[in-house]
Amino acid sequence: MTSYPRLLAPLDLGFTTLKNRVLMGSMHTNLEERGDWNRVAEFYAARARGGVGLIVTGGMAPNAEGGVFPGAGGLFSDKDIADHHYVTDRVHEEGGKIVMQILHAGRYAYSPDCVAPSPVKSPISPFPPKELDAVGIEKQIADIVTSACRAREAGYDGVEIMGSEGYFLNQFLVTHTNKREDEWGGSPEKRMRLPIEVVKRVREAVGADFILIYRLSMIDLIPNGQTWEEVVTLAKAVEAAGATIINTGIGWHEARIPTIATSVPRRAFSWVTKKLMGEVSIPVITSNRINTPEVGEEVLSDGCADMISMARPFLADPDFVNKAAEGRGAEIAPCIACNQACLDHTFAGKLTTCLVNPLACHETEIEITQTNAPKNVAIVGAGPAGVMTAITAAERGHQVTLYDRAGQVGGQLNMAKQVPGKEEFHGLVAWFETMLSKAGVDLRLNTNVVAQDLDGADEVIIATGVTPRDPQIPGQDGPNVVNYIDVLRDRAVVGKRVAVVGAGGIGFDVSEFLVTEDSPAEDLEAWKAEWGVGDPSETRGGLHPEGSQPDAPEREVTLLQRKAEKPGRRLGKTTGWIHRATLKMKGVKMVGGVNYERIDADGLHVSEGEARENPRLIAVDTIVLCAGQLPERSLADALEAKGQSCHVIGGADVASELDAKRAINQGVRLAVGL
Ligand code: NAP
Ligand code: SF4
């Protein structure tokens, strides 16, 4: 008897049956644009092999003007159809099903040729869109229909029409972006006409036995968004027009409410999808921040949806479903919702991958094969770099011993997991423990290693991490000064008025920790109040009429840096704004361009600019040093001094811009080559 009976139950769509209730949601990987179709095919085939019920591809443009960026992939030629057929064949060979998402970006297209219902520029694109005339609208419909027909020719099992997240079809639905007074705007009925027409004409063109998912925005999270009544009316009309399934979209991309970041509580929006259950008779899918089979099962048993969609979790682990089905749920590599290697890469034009699983989108390049020359491998440091090297090397058949001075594995992640909104790191550390044990790594915790201890090893890997940088501020030895390790790991006592020196990732984390007593990520209602999320049945677009209502901060915090730029500018592209907004809500003062003159009992004395102007005191009880980090190389240096070669990885190699993404990637790639 499985622990996930609902999740693993088949879903009969009449003309076809999905083997379970798990959809791999659409993600743009940038793979298609590289033209290596074997690589694209292996990416999707690996997920099909892993047991997922239905795959949705990344968004494909129906035409040039609708592409997310110039040159975005789509089915424009016979060659495109043949390339995509290669992918669908491979997925089918693995027993999977796959539908192609048709994504028309409208005013979100990063292109001077972008088109929209009205010439309303988007805040997330520099290009004002051209207003379509009636002929132009007909062309967009025709192009979407053609794209769907070509998808069928390319062997897809269906299409998903992207109608949410603020893209083209969504832009027609609301007065925020649709100012038209013709037959495509002016009243809710006319604003809905385009998506309904698209579904109707696609259905007519592709025939009855082809999956047609419509991704519908259930909570826009923007001013003047749809009312719930409009959402339900559209859903019913989309069903009547021929949709097979309705998928959930949450929030426009320009919404100022986080919808998928780590700090968003798990299944934070399943209650929204639940409101649609019973209103339509076709299956409904819910999504956002579902990342374990337990959460998926709970969402289904609570009657929130007929099926769940997960996207990023399939980057972290292609075998998610098979592992769940085989009772190996603890072995599922967890998506920690960090966006660091997926969305942040996508938006930077880089290939998508995953912090936890560097093999994602690199399936044909990094292969974990059995070694035919097993070695004794000694690894020092059980942070992300050391752990992932150990797991990978042991899986390949090497004899691996992993040492750490600490009493637990995970290194700096054990500090990160203390930060409000970063609770997902607990799951990652637990997964490390499970996989180390499964791979048969000889784990020696609470062990101080010196160079001589490593004499017998065939390969020595130093992953000893980092030490805090000393900012050398006069007076920093005083009793009112602590560093981030004292605060996050050792729970040092911190006063009510605090200055945080250094506004990097850790300075932001520490500031969040200091202003927040209990994490709202653990409490959905508190999180909704903090970000101003209301019930879409009561308030248009689900924006709470009172706006954001955060709890009062626990402390008065000033976050400082020497650079004259805006603090937090270098944080993750898709998450930096959330960290900045969180601190702003909690009244944290963010100050750039300072010199740290000295610290005394009154607080931190600073001045501004090269001329050290405007000297002033920041009167605080405690100063927390978060001034970056330096490689901890003492063991590596000792080995070198005695002539023993070693590999140095992670923070011990390069500390600047260190994060778990680089550490894990470096460790896995090293282990693959041992
Ligand atoms: P960091 O991001 O390099 O930031 C170091 C901070 O210290 C900067 O604000 C820097 O600003 C300041 N600083 C540098 N030298 C200084 C000196 N001599 N005196 C005073 N201030 C100095 O390092 P971090 O905050 O320690 O974070 C380490 C890594 O962990 C980051 O690279 C990040 O990728 C990762 N991390 C990521 C997240 C995340 O949310 N993604 C969270 C935590 C950590 P000025 O030089 O302008 O003063
Ligand atoms: Fe999840 Fe982070 Fe991997 Fe993206 S990079 S899939 S958010 S763990």
Side-chain angles (χ1 to χ4, degrees), residues 262 266 289 291-292 315-317 329-340 354-358 382-385 387-388 391 408-418 422-437 659-665 668:
T262 315
R266 285 179 173 180
R289 290 292 283 118
N291 65 343
T292 68
L315 291 176
D317 199 330
E331 292 175 28
I332 296 173
C335 165
I336 55 171
C338 63
N339 288 355
Q340 277 176 255
C354 174
L355 176 145
V356 175
N357 174 25
V387 166
M388 288 305 290
I391 293 169
Q408 58 186 337
V409 304
Q412 297 234 43
L413 297 186
N414 291 307
M415 281 192 288
K417 74 188 187 190
Q418 307 300 330
K422 291 204 164 177
E423 292 76 9
E424 290 292 352
F425 284 87
H426 285 277
L428 182 52
V429 174
W431 180 73
F432 283 167
E433 286 164 352
T434 302
M435 298 311 286
L436 285 168
S437 155
D659 58 37
K661 178 182 78 173
R662 182 163 61 74
I664 290 175
N665 187 27
V668 169

Side-chain angles (χ1 to χ4, degrees), residues 577-633:
W577 70 272
I578 303 171
H579 294 298
R580 289 191 295 271
T582 303
L583 294 193
K584 216 168 148 195
M585 278 195 283
K586 294 286 193 179
V588 173
K589 291 191 209 90
M590 290 176 246
V591 185
V594 296
N595 308 301
Y596 306 114
E597 297 293 350
R598 67 180 191 285
I599 293 170
D600 60 23
D602 296 327
L604 175 65
H605 295 262
V606 298
S607 65
E608 281 169 19
E610 274 182 35
R612 309 191 100 86
E613 289 164 340
N614 193 16
R616 63 185 195 279
L617 167 70
I618 299 176
V620 290
D621 310 309
T622 309
I623 293 102
V624 185
L625 304 178
C626 306
Q629 318 189 15
L630 299 172
E632 171 46 69
R633 294 184 62 106

Side-chain angles (χ1 to χ4, degrees), residues 340 422 469-471 501-507 509 560-563 571 579 596 626-629 656-659:
Q340 277 176 255
K422 291 204 164 177
R469 179 188 283 125
D470 178 356
V501 169
I506 292 181
D509 274 1
L560 302 118
Q561 70 180 21
R562 299 171 305 170
K563 285 186 283 295
L571 296 175
H579 294 298
Y596 306 114
C626 306
Q629 318 189 15
S656 67
E657 300 295 311
L658 169 74
D659 58 37

Side-chain angles (χ1 to χ4, degrees), residues 211-264:
I211 299 170
L212 196 169
I213 305 175
Y214 185 81
R215 182 117 175 244
L216 189 145
S217 180
M218 297 205 192
I219 181 167
D220 292 328
L221 299 176
I222 51 151
N224 298 322
Q226 294 170 93
T227 64
W228 183 249
E229 206 186 331
E230 288 165 4
V231 170
V232 173
T233 306
L234 177 64
K236 289 180 172 172
V238 159
E239 176 180 13
T244 322
I245 299 174
I246 290 177
N247 193 2
T248 295
I250 302 290
W252 288 38
H253 284 321
E254 69 200 73
R256 292 287 89 187
I257 293 171
T259 55
I260 57 167
T262 315
S263 56
V264 176

Side-chain angles (χ1 to χ4, degrees), residues 125-161:
S125 160
F127 303 104
K130 289 189 198 76
E131 178 175 310
L132 286 164
D133 60 15
V135 175
I137 291 176
E138 284 296 339
K139 175 185 182 299
Q140 306 310 310
I141 301 174
D143 289 346
I144 293 172
V145 171
T146 304
S147 187
C149 294
R150 288 181 179 157
R152 180 157 198 155
E153 226 182 298
Y156 283 103
D157 299 284
V159 287
E160 175 174 84
I161 296 172

